Each structure stands twice: as C-alpha cells, then as structure tokens.
Amino acid sequence: MGLSREEFRAALVSRHGEACQAKFDVARVAVCGLGGLGSNIAIALARAGVGHLHLIDFDMVEPSNLNRQQYTLAQIGQPKAQALADTLATINPWCDVKSEGVRLTPDNLATILADDPIVCEAFDRAEAKAMLVAGVLGALPRAIVVAASGMASFRSANAIVTRRVSKRLYLCGDGVSDVGDGDGLLGARVAVCAAHQATMVLRLVAGFDEP
Amino acid sequence: MVTINGEEQAAAGQTVAAHLAQAGYNTARVVVELNGDILPKEQYGQTRLQDGDRVEIVCFMGGG
C-alpha cells in the first residue's frame, strides 16, 4: 500500500506533535560509522522524520556484522553506505540521504562535515573515536558531537547512560566496557547505546540540551 | 588545585602529557578539554596545568 508524503508526515505529527516535527523536518545530522551504532542511529532518525542524513562509512557488510548491524544476508559484500541508504529509502523515502563511502581523517573531516550541525560518532575503534571527536570539536566550532564509549560485554543495559561532558560533547555508554577485553559484543546492548545517541540527537533538535 | 573530571587534584604545574602518563591513559584513545576547549594532542607536551583549570579527559572504549 502506498502512502503519500503528506500521510506519512501526518502519522509522524500524531506521535511527535507539529512543532517538534517541523524541527525534525529541517534537521541535518551526520552519522560517522555505520556499524552497530550508526546503522541503528540512522534508522531511528529516519523513522523520526529527520529531514537530512549524512551517512559516512568506507566499509563493506561482513557476516560478523549481522549480530548487531542493520544489514541483511543479501547485503553482505555491499558498501555499508549504499546498503543502509537503500534500507532507509524503504523506511522513509522522503529523508534526504547523502551517503559517502569515505574514510574520515583529521585532514578531511572538517570539509566533509562542514554542513552538519550535529555529528554522531559511531565508529568501533577507540582511536578512531578519539580522532573524530577531537577533530570535529577542534575544527568545527559550532558542531555538537554525540559520541559513544562502552557498549561491549554482557553487562546490564542499565549501565548505559547519556552524559554531557561539556558544552558541545555528549557521551553515551557505560564508559568502561571495551570490545578488546573479549567479553563479547551483544547486538541488543549496542542498540541500547545507539538509541541513547539517537534520543539525544532528537532532543537537541527539539530544543532540549540536557541529557 | 586542578579540577579533572570533576575531581580536585594537585596537578598544577604538571604538563597534560605528564598527567595522562601518570594516570595511565593511552593518549591515542583520549580526548582532552581544557577549560571547555579541545586541546590538540600536539599541545599535550607543552601545556602546563594551572590552578583553577578545569580538565575533562574522555578515554574511549572500543566497540560500535
């Protein structure tokens, strides 16, 4: 059954209210890294009717991604940026998605993210997370970063929180679980952290700046 | 005294690099904000903490 853009938006307004939806319509958010965090964040934001999403990941879909990342068996081997854009088009075809299969570096991030007022850090490697967060906060003086640290292991989902580190940096996670400790990486727990990030993004767009 | 991650510490006079090393941080995984501004890694060695400074050190865990 087809749904018109107006009908789709009316359904969103019934859940978010007109004033809030009007803010979501024009929001612009970058999602850096499209793994367990980023694929879940992007889908949550597209479902909320965020108007513009900028997706960035240089990787391909692999079998080991499937426990936590929003890809299908048929998408194995495809670039994540394209595969996720295809999925988003089936969820919300009116979301303006710019999808790039590039690797963000200290040299290119300010150019690539120049138009994105909110940046989600959704990488997996700790060193890459630190590089991106420092790079964006340093080079883009108005950008707000919603980052993640600590979502591996089988610890309680209740340990995952959102905190505001400083004026332009929010951090989601338990702060201690490292995938390198070998305690596992549970899709459901990663999704909790992604939902914290997506919720914080939507709160910021709606005008709430506290976690 | 220097406020580091909300805790008062006697770190005045120490460089950021020395403090991170002493506290056992892996600098490749760390982001440091000094008085609300991001401190570039290249400046850790020459930046000395002063009385009244507020420092936020975020050490990232892997996984995503």
Side-chain angles (χ1 to χ4, degrees), chain A residues 10-165:
Chain A
L12 295 178
V13 168
S14 77
R15 295 305 189 209
H16 306 143
E18 172 58 41
C20 197
Q21 195 59 48
K23 292 176 181 171
F24 290 177
D25 290 345
V26 296
R28 190 172 286 276
V29 181
V31 182
C32 304
L34 305 175
L37 295 170
S39 62
N40 279 295
I41 294 168
I43 286 176
L45 298 180
R47 283 195 189 282
V50 164
H52 309 273
L53 287 178
H54 189 180
L55 311 180
I56 301 155
D57 197 309
F58 61 85
D59 226 346
M60 308 287 172
V61 179
E62 294 177 25
S64 64
N65 302 152
L66 296 178
N67 79 316
R68 67 190 187 286
Q69 307 187 17
Q70 295 295 340
Y71 302 103
T72 65
L73 291 170
Q75 290 174 324
I76 288 175
Q78 293 181 15
K80 289 183 183 178
Q82 186 56 52
L84 188 59
D86 291 345
T87 300
L88 294 184
T90 70
I91 292 172
N92 176 357
W94 300 284
C95 180
D96 161 44
V97 177
K98 181 180 180 188
S99 202
E100 297 192 89
V102 297
R103 183 189 287 266
L104 286 165
T105 69
D107 294 328
N108 69 15
L109 64 84
T111 307
I112 292 173
L113 300 171
D115 297 328
D116 300 312
I118 300 177
V119 175
C120 290
E121 177 282 304
F123 288 159
D124 53 0
R125 290 179 50 248
E127 294 79 3
K129 289 169 174 286
M131 178 279 294
L132 180 71
V133 171
V136 172
L137 292 176
L140 299 167
R142 282 183 300 280
I144 296 175
V145 178
V146 181
S149 175
M151 77 300 301
S153 85
F154 281 69
R155 291 189 176 100
S156 170
N158 292 342
I160 291 175
V161 296
T162 301
R163 72 183 180 96
R164 188 178 191 177
V165 175

Side-chain angles (χ1 to χ4, degrees), chain A residues 68 124 126-127 129-130 138 149 151 166 175-179, chain B residues 26 28-31 33 38 56 58-64:
Chain A
R68 67 190 187 286
D124 53 0
E127 294 79 3
K129 289 169 174 286
S149 175
M151 77 300 301
S166 59
V176 294
S177 300
D178 190 283
V179 71
Chain B
N26 171 356
R29 292 175 157 229
V30 156
V31 169
E33 285 192 328
I38 200 81
E56 287 292 336
V58 175
C59 183
F60 282 94
M61 299 293 129

